[in-house]
């Protein structure tokens, strides 16, 4: 499960980088993608702090 979450985070990060290269940082799409990445990172960190990962 940890590897799957890391893969998702990495995919979101790459997509956000691509999007931000072609759009203004305050663009709605960039902000939404950033929020998705934040949510994924928060979920990962919460599970890690609860000892769900090695």
């Amino acid at each position: 499960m940890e590897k799957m979450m890391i893969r998702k985070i990495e995919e979101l990060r790459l997509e956000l980088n691509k999007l931000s290269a072609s759009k203004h940082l305050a663009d709605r799409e960039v902000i939404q993608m950033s929020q998705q990445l934040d949510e994924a990172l928060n979920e990962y960190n919460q599970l890690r702090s609860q000892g769900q990962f090695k």
Side-chain angles (χ1 to χ4, degrees):
M1 181 173 175
E2 182 178 14
K3 287 183 181 183
M4 193 167 67
M5 290 188 77
I6 291 172
R7 188 177 320 125
K8 177 183 176 181
I9 289 167
E10 194 61 25
E11 288 171 2
L12 288 169
R13 187 187 65 79
L14 290 172
E15 192 171 339
L16 177 60
N17 283 338
K18 280 193 245 177
L19 198 57
S20 65
S22 63
K23 297 188 181 260
H24 191 272
L25 293 179
D27 186 277
R28 182 179 52 84
E29 283 183 81
V30 175
I31 292 170
Q32 287 177 340
M33 181 60 58
S34 177
Q35 289 172 337
Q36 287 180 20
L37 177 56
D38 287 346
E39 289 173 9
L41 287 166
N42 288 339
E43 181 181 0
Y44 175 81
N45 285 330
Q46 181 179 14
L47 290 172
R48 188 167 179 179
S49 71
Q50 292 173 354
Q52 301 257 347
F53 305 133
K54 293 180 183 179

